[in-house]
Amino acid sequence: MTASRIETLKQMLVQEPKDGTLHYMLGNEYFKGQMYDEAVAAFRQYLTLSDDEGAVYRVLAQSLEGLGRVEEARQAYRDGLAAATRHGHQPMVEEYTRALKDLD
């Protein structure tokens, strides 16, 4: 099922390449399929197009962890912590603070 969703989203992006939501959705599909390189690329593209409130940084960091890129994962959590703080998402602030401690 994930492969067909990926193909559908990729086709949609041909028509709407600057649609941040489509990049986010594609990243999630890649993440679910453990296609972490592709997920990272999609999430980073999303972040160039959208002001995320913090949630994307979780799956970005987890994708980076899956690739063994721990320092980049730490930075993703730090960026997510900043976004969550900026937008007043206290539960996410606490989650990312714990995640950073867990990576130490």
Side-chain angles (χ1 to χ4, degrees):
M1 181 190 287
T2 297
S4 64
R5 287 189 57 124
I6 288 171
E7 289 309 313
T8 299
L9 288 166
K10 286 168 68 174
Q11 290 173 8
M12 292 170 74
L13 278 165
V14 169
Q15 300 300 315
E16 297 290 335
K18 295 188 185 232
D19 185 327
T21 301
L22 291 175
H23 287 282
Y24 181 81
M25 292 169 63
L26 180 59
N28 276 324
E29 292 303 316
Y30 283 138
F31 179 76
K32 287 190 266 182
Q34 298 181 340
M35 301 168 70
Y36 298 129
D37 278 321
E38 294 87 347
V40 168
F43 292 137
R44 287 191 169 152
Q45 182 61 33
Y46 162 77
L47 286 167
T48 68
L49 298 168
S50 303
D51 178 27
D52 190 81
E53 295 188 12
V56 74
Y57 295 97
R58 175 186 309 108
V59 285
L60 174 58
Q62 290 170 347
S63 296
L64 290 162
E65 286 181 74
L67 294 168
R69 293 159 53 183
V70 177
E71 189 50 45
E72 288 178 75
R74 281 188 190 99
Q75 186 59 51
Y77 280 125
R78 285 191 288 268
D79 293 343
L81 183 59
T85 300
R86 197 169 52 249
H87 291 280
H89 296 300
Q90 190 58 34
M92 202 176 296
V93 167
E94 293 167 10
E95 174 188 348
Y96 291 169
T97 301
R98 281 190 308 273
L100 282 165
K101 288 179 184 174
D102 290 345
L103 284 177
D104 287 335

